[in-house]
């Protein structure tokens, strides 16, 4: 009885295909999904690269500050016991690690007469 032209098993459209707008809609959905996934990978990699660069910079600055501290400690260690300072003062080592700067210029605003006389008295006692 198929000669009558009635096809009972097929309920879709006459050609058996979906409408064009539905296929276009699916293509756009999957294209947007693929674009989002690739953009996510790209963005994540750029964030990780920036984070690694920041970590490298932090490590470099930490090493740089350690070197600066080591240089300062070395200059303190190797500085002579008595030396002239820039402002006409004189440095004296009072104890193992205490260094006192005595300004010997009486015209300086930070001149301390008592410290100067104490220094002179200690020099005469040597």
């Amino acid at each position: 009885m198929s000669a009558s032209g009635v096809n009972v098993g097929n309920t879709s459209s006459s050609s058996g295909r979906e409408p064009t707008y539905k296929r276009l809609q699916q293509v756009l959905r999957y294209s947007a999904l693929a674009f989002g996934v690739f953009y996510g990978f790209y963005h994540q990699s750029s964030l990780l690269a920036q984070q690694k660069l920041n970590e490298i910079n932090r490590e470099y600055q930490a090493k740089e500050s350690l070197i600066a501290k080591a240089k300062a400690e070395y200059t303190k260690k190797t500085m002579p016991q008595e030396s002239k300072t820039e402002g006409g003062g004189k440095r004296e080592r009072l104890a193992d690690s205490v260094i006192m700067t005595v300004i010997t210029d009486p015209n300086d605003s930070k001149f301390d007469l008592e410290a100067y006389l104490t220094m002179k008295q200690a020099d005469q006692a040597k």
Side-chain angles (χ1 to χ4, degrees), residues 64-118:
E64 196 174 47
S65 68
L66 285 175
I67 290 171
K69 287 179 185 177
K71 283 182 181 181
E73 289 296 322
Y74 179 76
T75 56
K76 284 182 184 178
K77 181 179 176 182
T78 59
M79 184 174 46
Q81 289 187 356
E82 290 185 16
S83 64
K84 284 288 202 180
T85 61
E86 298 168 5
K90 193 172 185 181
R91 290 184 177 211
E92 277 193 356
R93 188 174 294 272
L94 297 177
D96 290 335
S97 63
V98 178
I99 298 175
M100 183 177 150
T101 303
V102 178
I103 299 174
T104 57
D105 183 18
N107 293 329
D108 193 356
S109 63
K110 296 180 183 177
F111 178 70
D112 185 11
L113 181 62
E114 182 180 356
Y116 178 72
L117 293 176
T118 306

Side-chain angles (χ1 to χ4, degrees), residues 47-62:
L47 289 176
L48 288 176
Q50 184 67 31
Q51 184 180 11
K52 286 180 184 178
L53 182 64
N54 288 341
E55 180 66 26
I56 290 170
N57 285 338
R58 258 186 266 123
E59 288 177 9
Y60 180 78
Q61 289 174 352

